[in-house]
Amino acid sequence: MRVAIAKFPGSNCDQDVAYAISRVPGAWSEVVWHTELSPERYELVVLPGGFSYADRLRAGAIAAHTPLIEKLIDYVKDGGLVLGICNGFQILVEAGLLLGSLLPNKGLRFICKWVSLRVMNSDTPFTNAFEEGEVVKMPIAHYEGRYYAGGQALRLFEERRVAFVYADERGGVSEECNPNGSDNSIAGVFNDTFNVLGMMPHPERASDPLLSPYGTEHGLRVFLSVANYVKGGA
């Protein structure tokens, strides 16, 4: 599996993603400056976390209008896979590649903590290594992470385009376990053809049990899922 990790001015999670990819058998990645990236050379393009263009205007707004995004639009139409993590998710919604927007967290505070997530759809290129309904742990670190679907959240659930929701350790969903006020506790969504995933939690930071306070590598399964799909095992 060939993976490109796009680097914008202000990206800071690219090497974390590269490390996670290095733990996937048969996968390799390279960090590519956004103006030099040719998506068609890769099976997966990752837009990593960070603060692209210092989050001026809105988080992800400037990066969403770079020439790379124009290339990604064609790449996605041709079936290419794109994963946006945190700031990458913000870029994808700003670019219109995913439905919705990401607003400042309730309480207007930066949040950095581990959260529980319930897997809502395991029949996709990004989630086939999970069990539907299982609860996994990944960390979040964001200020503008409150997902807003503009009244279309229920449609996303009906179309199975919700990847993860914030939950308690038993998978229950409530305001108490919704860290940022996202609509219906949504933590990650797909596009309508399921080849684009945007998620606020950081799977790359939950890809090595030595780095997890829970001793798990739940996040690694996002990348293992893509590898399964590329190999035809999904």
Side-chain angles (χ1 to χ4, degrees):
M1 178 175 71
R2 298 166 296 181
V3 182
I5 305 164
K7 188 171 182 66
F8 294 95
S11 299
N12 64 15
C13 296
D14 43 285
Q15 293 300 328
D16 303 67
V17 174
Y19 174 73
I21 297 295
S22 75
R23 303 197 71 240
V24 177
W28 67 268
S29 68
E30 55 183 347
V31 177
V32 186
W33 188 248
H34 68 103
T35 59
E36 300 172 359
L37 201 161
S38 299
E40 67 276 4
R41 296 179 53 202
Y42 306 92
E43 277 89 28
L44 171 67
V45 175
V46 180
L47 306 185
F51 305 91
S52 59
Y53 295 94
D55 280 350
R56 292 190 177 97
L57 301 180
R58 291 182 307 278
I62 297 177
H65 291 85
T66 57
L68 172 60
I69 302 305
E70 297 177 11
K71 296 178 184 177
L72 285 183
I73 291 171
D74 291 333
Y75 176 73
V76 168
K77 288 179 181 176
D78 290 337
L81 301 176
V82 178
L83 169 63
I85 302 168
C86 198
N87 188 238
F89 187 7
Q90 294 163 341
I91 293 169
L92 291 174
V93 296
E94 287 284 345
L97 280 164
L98 288 172
L99 179 70
S101 58
L102 288 154
L103 307 178
N105 301 333
K106 67 178 181 182
L108 303 180
R109 296 176 66 91
F110 185 88
I111 302 171
C112 182
K113 60 188 275 188
W114 283 74
V115 296
S116 297
L117 305 167
R118 190 170 84 199
V119 181
M120 300 301 293
N121 184 351
S122 62
D123 187 24
T124 79
F126 300 96
T127 56
N128 59 74
F130 295 91
E131 294 292 331
E132 192 159 318
E134 78 170 301
V135 178
V136 296
K137 295 278 192 179
M138 296 185 206
I140 56 173
H142 56 250
Y143 174 76
E144 294 177 77
R146 178 162 61 97
Y147 181 73
Y148 175 69
Q152 301 188 71
L154 292 180
R155 178 167 71 87
L156 289 174
F157 282 97
E158 290 170 357
E159 296 176 356
R160 294 178 54 78
R161 288 168 57 188
V162 176
F164 305 100
V165 295
Y166 300 109
D168 60 28
E169 294 191 356
R170 294 185 177 182
V173 177
S174 67
E175 284 302 311
E176 288 72 26
C177 53
N178 184 342
N180 52 29
S182 290
D183 281 358
N184 296 80
S185 296
I186 292 172
V189 297
F190 304 106
N191 67 339
D192 58 1
T193 49
F194 297 93
N195 58 329
V196 179
L197 168 62
M199 56 188 297
M200 288 312 296
H202 285 265
E204 78 282 6
R205 298 182 186 177
S207 294
D208 188 325
L210 292 176
L211 302 177
S212 165
Y214 303 96
T216 63
E217 50 184 15
H218 292 155
L220 185 64
R221 283 195 259 161
V222 172
F223 305 106
L224 289 170
S225 294
V226 178
N228 291 342
Y229 179 82
V230 170
K231 290 186 294 187

